[in-house]
Amino acid sequence: MTGDALPPPLDLSGLAPAMPVLSETLMVVAIALPLALAFGALVPAVRRVLPHLLVFVPLPALIAALAVPRGLSVLVAPDPFRFTLALDAPGALLLGGAALLWMTASAYAMAYLRKDPARPAFIVWWLLTMAGSFAVFLVADVASFYLAYALVSFSAYGLAAHDDTVEARRAGALYLALTVLGEALLIAAFVMLASGPADANPQIRDAVALLPASPWKTPILLLILLGFTLKMGLFPLHVWMPLAHSVAPVPGSAALSGIVVKAGVIGLLRFLPEGVPLPGWGALLCGAGLFTAYYGVAVGLTQRHPKRALAYSTVSQMGVVAAVIGAGIMNGTAGTFTIAAFYAANHMLLKGAMFLMVGVAMAASPRRALAAAAVAALLGLSLAGLPLSGGAMAKYAIKLIVPDGGAGVLLTLSAAGSTLLMARYALLVARSGTENQKTEGKEMQGRPPRGLVLPALALAVLALFAPFALFAEVTGVPVSAAFTAAALVKGFWPVGLGLGVAALLAWKGPRVPEVPAGDILHAAGFLSATGRTIMEGTVAADAVLRRWPVAALALLGVAVSLAATLTFAAMP
């Protein structure tokens, strides 16, 4: 589809018109509130009330996503400490989706971790990750984006390693090591990117506008793709994801898979030029995405725990997002980034709900776990693109960017693979129930706590229906277009194919050994005794750094150091 055929950027500001000052305040508060509460937890009185406030903290971000006019920019801090916020269509979609997931997952987390003595520390890491995730969708200058990206990346370590088991610390070590690598790649790219504009800390849009003519174009693009696809989990940089997801608490896994990986998505959408054909780079990203989409399914099908199956599903789905972005920049198709963000936001809500349903099933009896598995199956089918579901609307949208040809056929077939993997996930959820559930010494007859069930169901409903409300605004195509006979057939056959193969494998399929989480690291022997020693050495100070007051002071030190660097850079 040509760029001229796509609609103008999404603008939902008419839903709740806001005065400029109110809009600017909303953007600032969206980031400042969780950050302030994280530091406020130093005060015992604040720490005691935080579990009751957590569900309301993302509310300013949700209102901002709906009400702030697209394109509005606010200078929070002047030079030399420039800190600029702005909200465009892709950022609004991801910000709104993240706010909804943070709200429901926060309610879930407080019930899930009710008896966990380390819950106060988890809350602080949760708030810091939340602040960073909102910031990456809102910041508009290069230095501030790097600071926000570092905040969400490093804070998420506390979610992954929360359980403090040997496996959790090992997964956290790998995540931290790869995060440091990704940060190094990106800071090198940002330094070269900022060398073009006269401003020491340029607006992202200004720096990216000069990128096609930059003498550093090739290394910048290479570093940007490596740095952000590492966070997204594209092959072969995906290895942290299944390891971290399998050991994190359920709400932590929902945040990691639903939100944290989207920092890589918004990075690509911010730092790649839209509407400018980059045939070679687009083909490279599209090819890597397609390979990752199929690889994630293949390895995910061998998993025997639903959280690991979901982790590999996220690897696969981020491959789909990368393929769409790659196809768009390959042809310079306008509107690509908004549609890619729409698909990513749909994945954000669905995958968050699917992780929460795992926790519900694990807290239920085997019989009640079947009900959780039924909801999980519906969510999984929506992710695969089952017609009449919200996921089908997202699948229809990306076909506007990749309608036909080899890439289009492969993307369509990947839906069959997703269906197959989601069938495996639903089966694993059904097997997750446990006997003799007890709460405070009283028999619960295997009934999961309402504090888990209600947030999970609320997020599931949002995930299934929110895409219908956004589809026409995102694509410029009426919702009815996805309900024509041709569209329904095109949407159903890959799902039907996947269900058919799933039934065949269940009846007479080969028994395949489980691929260990981290797959290629095990194949390469990287998780041998020597490899583990190296990784554990990267977190030798884990016992100290994971104490939230120390981490908070460290993050403050990062902010002060960055401010000092900008000051000296601005001096004559």
Side-chain angles (χ1 to χ4, degrees):
M1 191 171 189
T2 63
D4 294 338
L6 287 175
L10 170 67
D11 186 355
L12 299 180
S13 56
L15 294 177
M19 296 173 60
V21 174
L22 178 59
S23 297
E24 295 169 2
T25 302
L26 280 170
M27 288 194 289
V28 173
V29 172
I31 301 170
L33 181 58
L35 198 58
L37 289 175
F39 284 100
L42 290 165
V43 181
V46 176
R47 194 158 59 245
R48 284 193 295 270
V49 300
L50 273 179
H52 308 290
L53 299 177
L54 210 58
V55 68
F56 303 106
V57 178
L59 195 55
L62 178 60
I63 298 172
L66 294 172
V68 172
R70 304 301 171 253
L72 178 68
S73 180
V74 52
L75 181 64
V76 179
D79 292 333
F81 310 112
R82 177 187 293 172
F83 183 66
T84 312
L85 301 179
L87 192 63
D88 59 3
L93 286 164
L94 293 170
L95 179 67
L100 291 172
L101 178 48
W102 279 120
M103 291 177 74
T104 50
S106 292
Y108 186 102
M110 292 306 93
Y112 186 87
L113 300 171
R114 185 168 60 90
K115 295 184 178 181
D116 191 334
R119 187 172 76 163
F122 180 89
I123 290 174
V124 174
W125 288 117
W126 187 262
L127 287 166
L128 291 173
T129 308
M130 185 190 301
S133 71
F134 291 157
V136 293
F137 301 139
L138 285 168
V139 292
D141 58 271
V142 174
S144 299
F145 183 91
Y146 180 78
L147 182 60
Y149 194 83
L151 178 60
V152 67
S153 297
F154 287 106
S155 299
Y157 166 77
L159 306 183
H162 171 77
D163 284 347
D164 207 26
T165 62
V166 173
E167 292 78 10
R169 288 157 70 136
R170 188 173 300 152
L174 176 63
Y175 171 79
L176 197 58
L178 291 178
T179 295
V180 171
L181 172 62
E183 297 291 324
L185 294 170
L186 290 176
I187 198 169
F190 293 167
V191 167
M192 288 187 285
L193 189 66
S195 66
D199 196 337
N201 177 25
Q203 297 290 296
I204 297 174
R205 64 173 179 267
D206 295 336
V208 173
L210 298 176
L211 177 58
S214 171
W216 303 100
K217 173 183 172 181
T218 297
I220 290 172
L221 287 171
L222 179 61
L223 292 169
I224 283 173
L225 290 180
L226 288 174
F228 289 127
T229 57
L230 189 155
K231 182 65 67 185
M232 289 174 65
L234 260 63
F235 182 92
L237 305 173
H238 68 287
V239 290
W240 68 270
M241 197 181 298
L243 286 168
H245 288 15
S246 62
V247 298
V250 167
S253 295
L256 286 167
S257 184
I259 299 171
V260 173
V261 298
K262 304 308 185 297
V265 174
I266 196 65
L268 289 181
L269 302 184
R270 288 280 183 267
F271 288 91
L272 290 176
E274 186 178 19
V276 178
L278 297 172
W281 294 103
L284 177 64
L285 182 59
C286 185
L290 288 170
F291 181 86
T292 300
Y294 284 88
Y295 183 86
V297 168
V299 180
L301 287 172
T302 72
Q303 301 305 302
R304 296 174 184 171
H305 193 285
K307 287 175 66 179
R308 287 195 295 271
L310 285 179
Y312 279 104
S313 169
T314 296
V315 171
S316 176
Q317 290 298 308
M318 289 303 97
V320 172
V321 174
V324 172
I325 297 173
I329 66 171
M330 182 165 52
N331 301 314
T333 306
T336 294
F337 290 0
T338 300
I339 287 179
F342 176 58
Y343 189 91
N346 173 71
H347 173 268
M348 182 185 288
L349 296 176
L350 284 170
K351 194 55 62 74
M354 283 191 278
F355 268 107
L356 298 190
M357 291 311 301
V358 172
V360 171
M362 292 172 65
S365 67
R367 181 173 63 85
R368 294 184 185 275
L370 294 177
V375 177
L378 180 60
L379 293 167
L381 289 173
S382 180
L383 182 71
L386 179 70
L388 308 182
S389 69
M393 310 306 292
K395 291 286 187 183
Y396 189 97
I398 63 174
K399 290 176 182 177
L400 299 176
I401 304 299
V402 196
D404 47 30
V409 171
L410 289 173
L411 276 180
T412 300
L413 284 173
S414 73
S418 292
T419 304
L420 187 58
L421 180 53
M422 289 299 95
R424 173 68 175 169
Y425 153 73
L427 178 62
L428 293 172
V429 172
R431 296 173 178 172
S432 297
T434 55
E435 299 284 0
N436 301 321
Q437 300 296 313
K438 292 183 179 182
T439 298
E440 298 178 354
K442 298 181 180 180
E443 292 288 343
M444 295 295 292
Q445 298 180 344
R447 189 188 302 273
R450 284 183 294 177
L452 302 185
V453 175
L454 294 180
L457 288 178
L459 186 57
V461 171
L462 287 168
L464 290 171
F465 294 103
F468 288 97
L470 298 170
F471 178 81
E473 290 286 350
V474 168
T475 64
V477 176
V479 174
S480 58
F483 291 86
T484 64
L488 292 174
V489 169
K490 288 181 180 179
F492 182 76
W493 77 258
V495 175
L497 176 61
L499 290 174
V501 174
L504 181 63
L505 291 177
W507 173 56
K508 199 173 183 179
R511 299 186 64 86
V512 180
E514 182 179 32
V515 175
D519 49 275
I520 61 173
L521 293 184
H522 283 269
F526 188 74
L527 291 183
S528 63
T530 302
R532 287 195 297 267
T533 300
I534 294 172
M535 283 198 300
E536 289 168 2
T538 66
V539 286
D542 174 72
V544 175
L545 292 177
R546 289 189 68 233
R547 296 173 188 163
W548 59 263
V550 177
L553 291 175
L555 287 167
L556 180 61
V558 171
V560 171
S561 299
L562 181 60
T565 301
L566 292 175
T567 301
F568 286 118
M571 292 175 63

